[in-house]
Amino acid sequence: MKKIIITLLVMMVVSTTWAQMMNPVHFTSQLKELKGGEGELVFSATIDAGWHVYSTGLGNDGPISATFNAVKMEGVETVGKLQARGNEIKQFDKLFDMELRFFEKAVTFVQKIRFTKPEYDIDCYVEYGACNDESCLPPSEASLKVKGKSPVKSEEVRVKSEEFATATPEAEKDEDAPAVKDSLSAVKSDSLVAESDSSSLSLWQPVIQELNAYSGENPSGESMSWWLIFLEGLLGGFIALFTPCVWPIIPMTVSFFLKRNKDRSKAIREATTYGLSIVVIYVLLGLAVTLLFGASALNALATNAVFNIFFCLLLVVFAASFFGAFELTLPASWSSKIDAKSESTTGLLSIFLMAFTLALVSFSCTGPIIGFLLVAVSTQGSIVAPTIGMLGFAIALAIPFTLFAMFPSLLKSAPKSGGWMNVVKVTLGFIELAFALKFLSVADLAYGWHILDREVFLALWIVIFGLLGVYLLGWLKFPHDDEGNRTNVPQFFLAMASLAFAIYMIPGLWGAPLKAISAFAPPMNTQDFNLQKTSTEPRFKDYELGMSAARAEGKPVIIDFTGFGCVNCRKMEAAVWSDPQVADILNHKYVLISLYVDDKTALPEPVEVTENGQTRTLRTVGDKWSYLQRVKFGANAQPFYVLLDNDGMPLNSSRSYNEDIQEYIQFLNTGLSNYNNVKK
């Protein structure tokens, strides 16, 4: 059987197209000799941008920790545990419910050793796990093989070894120097003998070209996210226009430019320059935020418990300001000095200083909106995200100044200043209060307080949006509201939408998924009372057994390449597989096979294969499934989903991390349609 498997694996290496293969971590290894008969096994890595490598000692319930493994350690013995050196980042992960430690850009793993004989022969490797925001690699290895003469004499080695044996407890030496035994324990594995040899050979044949034939164009996720950030900034800018700090300034500013210049074309040019100055000021603000903190720091802040508490309190303060408790204003001397400077200068500088004065004077209304926008885009971890957000905000803010300067008659039909502007502020206060709970939820999960579990969070949101509806109907008043103000038609429709949203969330108190707010609410596992029973579990965790069952039942197969420590796999299961329609298709119309690439169950005996010109040893079941994914499907990242017929041929293009449920349903239905066509 071993010869057949080896022959099978070697045959599959013939394929030269490696679609979707990733190699984001680049290791070099060496033996460094130290004084006193000691040395270090050094594994140094550079990590591609956007990827991270997990540190040591994360435990069995977390992602793949970096571990030192010895195949042969003759003439040396290990001292202490594997050490990780570099800029270690700590971050709480809600899915694993634990603090994760990892490295970005670079990391060095060091295992200290002591020479015990005049000559040494070392064959070892460091196993590590790597992920980015969308994919995780299977357990990977960085190996080191070296032999030579010991740097110390025989007598010195004997004395040092005796001293070390006296000083170090036996239990500690056993723990710190894990070694691969000469003979692996025999583990019964039906996966190796599930089907006949010829059938097994067919199921392992590469289908990379067939997968590529199904693939279509995929839009750039990064570009789409930038467009989304820009639109969010644009929306924030338009909302800021209708606040009491900005709207009344528009007609005054436009009238000033028109009266200042008898030539209307010059007035339009100056008003346009004024609008461009607003854009420059806010874009510079976005750049300043990122340059001060850095893109990676902003991303880290978004998941840091302490800063999430700070963000929560900050948004509560902004909300209180919008409700009328107080006003957030910059020192009056700043705007006075800038205004005086603009009057004493001429030309472009004068116009730019006028725009800067607007930014200072309107801060009490625009500040909370800008602060909320910058906090929201901090999760992007990109140096351009705050800048793009501020660009959208500034363009929306600058448009009316230029537009009204070009067409002054529009000012007559523009809404007059009044109590409606305070309604806009108070509405924003309710929204910022709701989002403050989102940031408090992250801290609650980090510290395990359990004061803001899912049903508590939903209850508070129901109250907030219910009160917003009541306010918009005029039944609730705040300090700056007009007593005689009646509910107008736009307020009525907004009130109806807010109350309907509050009612929509009520079933969530009993476990309804509420997909519209799944990105904001705490995870379902924090729900104390859940009546929903939808679940999706794999029928098989073995490729050959699952394919055999699918052939007997006449059903197509979905292969789920996953891992016990794959963060993004858990996200897909929570966000997509929990959908009732997706669960129904996976449970009843497909045979679901989940293959864990980090499964440490030992194979009956190690199998050596030649892959991409290099010899590799498959020691575990996880190694086997990882090799299957690379050679048959040309991919090595998880999660990875592929649909197969009963002969192991693809029924659609592959799919990876993407939480769009409707696209996932279409992906599954296309596979079913193609399978039925094949059967016919």
Side-chain angles (χ1 to χ4, degrees), residues 46-328:
T46 57
I47 308 169
D48 290 353
W51 286 83
H52 56 265
V53 171
Y54 289 106
S55 187
T56 58
L58 297 182
N60 296 328
D61 297 330
I64 302 165
S65 303
T67 58
F68 177 77
N69 302 270
V71 179
K72 181 188 293 185
M73 297 288 283
E74 295 182 359
V76 296
E77 55 189 4
T78 56
V79 180
K81 299 180 179 180
L82 181 69
Q83 301 294 319
R85 299 175 183 175
N87 183 23
E88 187 177 70
I89 300 171
K90 296 181 180 180
Q91 178 176 306
F92 184 85
D93 188 271
K94 294 185 288 187
L95 288 174
F96 287 105
D97 195 26
M98 63 183 294
E99 184 178 71
L100 301 183
R101 295 177 286 107
F102 55 86
F103 298 87
E104 297 177 345
K105 297 183 180 179
V107 62
T108 300
F109 296 109
V110 178
Q111 176 62 60
K112 194 172 183 180
I113 60 171
R114 184 185 301 274
F115 296 98
T116 59
K117 295 180 180 179
E119 295 184 353
Y120 59 84
D121 187 356
I122 302 172
D123 182 359
C124 61
Y125 62 93
V126 167
E127 186 178 67
Y128 64 93
C131 290
N132 64 5
D133 290 339
E134 296 185 354
S135 305
C136 290
L137 297 182
S140 305
E141 298 177 4
S143 61
L144 173 63
K145 294 182 179 180
V146 61
K147 61 174 64 177
K149 293 184 177 180
S150 172
V152 295
K153 298 178 181 179
S154 302
E155 182 62 23
E156 291 177 344
V157 170
R158 184 185 64 78
V159 173
K160 295 286 185 182
S161 182
E162 290 176 355
E163 292 175 353
F164 176 69
T166 304
T168 306
E170 191 68 26
E172 182 179 339
K173 288 192 287 184
D174 289 342
E175 179 185 355
D176 293 340
V180 176
K181 297 179 180 180
D182 294 334
S183 60
L184 296 173
S185 301
V187 178
K188 183 178 180 181
S189 177
D190 294 335
S191 65
L192 298 177
V193 292
E195 298 188 299
S196 65
D197 296 340
S198 59
S199 176
S200 205
L201 181 66
S202 170
L203 293 177
W204 281 68
Q205 288 179 349
V207 293
I208 300 171
Q209 293 182 355
E210 288 81 357
L211 274 178
N212 290 339
Y214 279 111
S215 299
E217 296 183 0
N218 293 318
S220 170
E222 185 176 36
S223 299
M224 292 297 290
S225 64
W226 287 355
W227 275 110
L228 181 60
I229 292 170
F230 176 79
L231 292 176
E232 289 174 353
L234 200 69
L235 177 62
F238 282 127
I239 292 174
L241 281 175
F242 298 103
T243 59
C245 313
V246 179
W247 188 258
I249 299 177
I250 296 174
M252 291 189 297
T253 305
V254 173
S255 299
F256 170 78
F257 284 123
L258 293 175
K259 292 177 181 178
R260 176 175 169 175
N261 300 285
K262 295 181 180 179
D263 185 357
R264 186 164 174 269
S265 62
K266 187 176 180 181
I268 293 174
R269 286 198 302 271
E270 288 194 353
T272 304
T273 304
Y274 182 78
L276 291 175
S277 299
I278 293 174
V279 173
V280 170
I281 289 168
Y282 284 104
V283 167
L284 289 176
L285 174 62
L287 281 173
V289 168
T290 311
L291 293 176
L292 285 173
F293 294 101
S296 59
L298 284 173
N299 191 43
L301 290 183
T303 52
N304 182 281
V306 175
F307 278 96
N308 271 278
I309 295 175
F310 172 75
F311 291 154
C312 170
L313 296 176
L314 187 66
L315 291 181
V316 170
V317 170
F318 288 160
S321 172
F322 278 156
F323 289 152
F326 49 82
E327 282 200 8
L328 295 172

Side-chain angles (χ1 to χ4, degrees), residues 21 31 45 203 207 256 275 311 324 339 361 371 396 459 478 629 655 677:
M21 291 295 288
L31 168 62
L203 293 177
V207 293
F256 170 78
F311 291 154
D339 189 38
V361 171
F478 283 91
Q629 183 186 4
R655 190 170 179 83
N677 292 335

Side-chain angles (χ1 to χ4, degrees), residues 448-469:
W449 296 331
H450 297 292
I451 61 174
L452 202 61
D453 288 341
R454 188 172 183 268
E455 64 270 24
V456 177
F457 179 94
L458 292 176
L460 290 171
W461 265 39
I462 291 169
V463 171
I464 289 172
F465 285 97
L467 288 175
L468 173 58

